[in-house]
């Protein structure tokens, strides 16, 4: 099985300190790809939902740096839900997986580490189009949605 195609939980190093904890992420070591981009989602109204798309080639590692939300990942057949509320935990979202992130609490900061620079053409934002796309992928290239 191609591990890069599989959803998985990643623990980041955590340096505990009475002055406050520190975590860090190195590309190719803590995430399985060279890091091309990092983006943040913040000032999200409580109860809001983000996401609602898939990427054709971009892999992402999603973390709740502060606050919480739910990360729902599907390939149209299987679905996993991870409650995101730890700054030292990331979830690898493989290319070709559809994500939705409901239930943001007020003040949440989501950090996403991505394998590619931003490219709108890499997105699939229509769920019916997504289902056609993912069903046409060769079995070995499908995202593996399981934990
Ligand atoms: P989008 O990825 O749809 O947000 P969500 O995290 O909810 O899935 O991005 C929202 C908007 O921001 C969209 O117009 C594209 C733009 N955007 C960029 O310009 N650069 C980026 O790196 C990202 C992630 C989004």
């Amino acid at each position: 099985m191609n591990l890069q195609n599989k959803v998985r939980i990643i623990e980041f190093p955590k340096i505990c300190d009475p002055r406050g904890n520190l975590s860090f992420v190195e590309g190719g070591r803590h995430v399985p790809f060279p890091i091309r981009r990092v983006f943040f989602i913040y000032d999200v109204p409580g109860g809001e939902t983000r996401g609602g798309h898939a990427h054709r080639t971009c892999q992402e590692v999603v973390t709740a740096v502060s606050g919480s939300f739910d990360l729902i990942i599907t390939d149209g057949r299987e679905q996993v839900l991870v409650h995101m509320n730890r700054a030292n935990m990331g979830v690898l979202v493989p290319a070709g997986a559809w994500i939705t992130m409901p239930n943001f609490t007020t003040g949440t900061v989501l950090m996403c580490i991505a394998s590619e620079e931003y490219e709108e053409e890499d997105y699939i934002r229509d769920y019916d189009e997504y289902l056609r796309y993912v069903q046409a992928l060769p079995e070995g290239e499908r995202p593996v949605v399981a934990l």
Side-chain angles (χ1 to χ4, degrees):
M1 183 188 294
N2 179 359
L3 257 188
Q4 294 233 3
N5 267 1
K6 188 179 180 304
V7 173
R8 70 185 154 97
I9 290 177
I10 298 174
E11 296 282 333
F12 303 137
K14 181 176 180 181
I15 313 293
C16 296
D17 190 309
R19 300 171 302 158
N21 299 330
L22 182 154
S23 288
F24 58 96
V25 184
E26 294 175 7
R29 185 165 171 219
H30 306 109
V31 299
F33 49 76
I35 296 169
R36 304 283 298 272
R37 177 169 53 113
V38 176
F39 64 90
F40 308 91
I41 298 180
Y42 52 96
D43 291 346
V44 179
E48 193 54 82
T49 298
R50 299 290 310 216
H53 50 64
H55 288 283
R56 297 170 203 275
T57 59
C58 189
Q59 301 172 68
E60 297 182 333
V61 172
V62 176
T63 299
V65 173
S66 181
S68 66
F69 58 92
D70 291 324
L71 172 60
I72 300 172
I73 310 174
T74 186
D75 65 347
R77 294 199 298 220
E78 309 296 332
Q79 175 176 300
V80 296
L81 185 156
V82 184
H83 185 61
M84 306 292 294
N85 63 357
R86 275 204 291 132
N88 66 325
M89 181 193 85
V91 176
L92 176 70
V93 179
W98 180 275
I99 62 169
T100 318
M101 295 169 287
N103 302 326
F104 270 74
T105 54
T106 304
T108 291
V109 180
L110 178 160
M111 176 180 72
C112 182
I113 299 167
S115 67
E116 309 296 332
E117 284 153 14
Y118 172 70
E119 206 182 328
E120 186 56 37
E121 296 68 40
D122 193 52
Y123 280 80
I124 304 171
R125 293 185 181 277
D126 179 88
Y127 193 64
D128 290 333
E129 181 190 347
Y130 170 68
L131 290 178
R132 288 193 294 275
Y133 170 81
V134 76
Q135 282 160 14
L137 285 177
E139 201 59 32
E141 289 177 28
R142 280 185 74 102
V144 178
V145 177
L147 281 174

